[in-house]
Amino acid sequence: SKPDTLVIAHKLDKFDLTEREKEIISLMLDGLLNKEIAHKLKISIYTVSNHQQNIYKKLNVNNKIEMYNMFK
């Protein structure tokens, strides 16, 4: 099941994330693929990937699955 938005927002407050990074996390947790996120936000797929790498570093995770497990 999809994690609760308020729970996610509360957990994300601990990390120094930009609004764009929070937006990308939300879309990732909604199950969107990188190309869908890129299309929705009108940015390149490479920019999405760059944001994801920054997100993983800030959350101290290695991949999408580890990130997703933080919000279960």
Side-chain angles (χ1 to χ4, degrees):
S1 67
K2 184 177 178 290
D4 180 58
T5 307
L6 287 175
V7 171
I8 293 167
H10 180 70
K11 285 188 177 182
L12 290 179
D13 282 346
K14 290 183 274 194
F15 303 97
D16 186 29
L17 296 159
T18 66
E19 287 307 308
R20 181 61 107 189
E21 288 167 346
K22 290 177 188 175
E23 192 174 13
I24 288 174
I25 289 170
S26 178
L27 294 171
M28 289 171 68
L29 293 174
D30 282 346
L32 271 68
L33 301 172
N34 285 8
K35 65 180 182 179
E36 295 169 318
I37 294 171
H39 180 73
K40 186 175 178 91
L41 300 180
K42 297 176 175 54
I43 59 177
S44 84
I45 195 163
Y46 303 105
T47 304
V48 173
S49 182
N50 192 38
H51 281 303
Q52 284 177 332
Q53 294 311 309
N54 291 334
I55 288 165
Y56 297 159
K57 273 189 204 129
K58 289 180 180 184
L59 299 183
N60 197 29
V61 297
N62 296 308
N63 55 48
K64 236 180 246 196
I65 293 169
E66 287 181 16
M67 187 195 77
Y68 191 81
N69 287 336
M70 288 180 69
F71 302 103
K72 268 190 178 171

